Amino acid sequence: MQQSRRRDRRPPRRGAGNAGRPRWTAAEGDRVVLVGHFPARRRDFAAVMDAAAAALEARGIRVVDRLVQRRGVSAGGARRMGLPHSERTLLSTGKAREVARACERTGAAAAVFLPALTDRQRHALTALLGRPALGLPDLLPEPTPGLLPAAHAAAPCAAPAPPP
């Protein structure tokens, strides 16, 4: 006699209805720390950070600090430059601690990351920082002038744009 298929079905995951979307919504005047992760080949990272800060400030969100993690040539070579330092936190351990200290020091309500975060990174960083960690597209779902499409791409970072 064959067993019922009902027996091998797993119960639904807790919180599956949210699909991993952040619950924090920015109010006017909220303070955030802006964190960027860029490959060393990307020369325009300062302009991208400025455009992201301007887009957030246009929505009434105050950027109180900016931090950048640049991935240089490492033991993995040039093919790994566009990848995050850690699949779990996007950043290196030291930079993640630096972001946590900056959030604490400035009293930021959240940390906003360039590029977008995966659900796993969002949960790990939120636990590490003690405040919501969001990707820029979570707050600015529509593409913003001055920001390259890579700023709205999910992590790992997209490859640098080809030179004009």
Side-chain angles (χ1 to χ4, degrees), residues 31-100:
R31 302 160 56 101
V32 298
V33 172
L34 184 61
V35 184
H37 182 274
F38 302 98
R41 290 183 186 167
R42 183 128 192 210
R43 304 273 184 226
D44 66 341
F45 71 91
V48 173
M49 291 289 285
D50 290 341
L56 289 171
E57 289 175 3
R59 294 206 172 218
I61 302 167
R62 291 180 41 203
V63 177
V64 293
D65 202 356
R66 298 180 193 190
L67 296 154
V68 174
Q69 172 85 60
R70 297 196 68 204
R71 175 88 188 235
V73 177
S74 63
R79 63 185 154 74
R80 293 188 63 192
M81 280 178 45
L83 299 176
H85 283 275
S86 164
E87 290 181 10
R88 193 171 145 268
T89 64
L90 181 71
L91 308 170
S92 65
T93 306
K95 187 59 77 170
R97 286 187 197 130
E98 189 178 335
V99 171

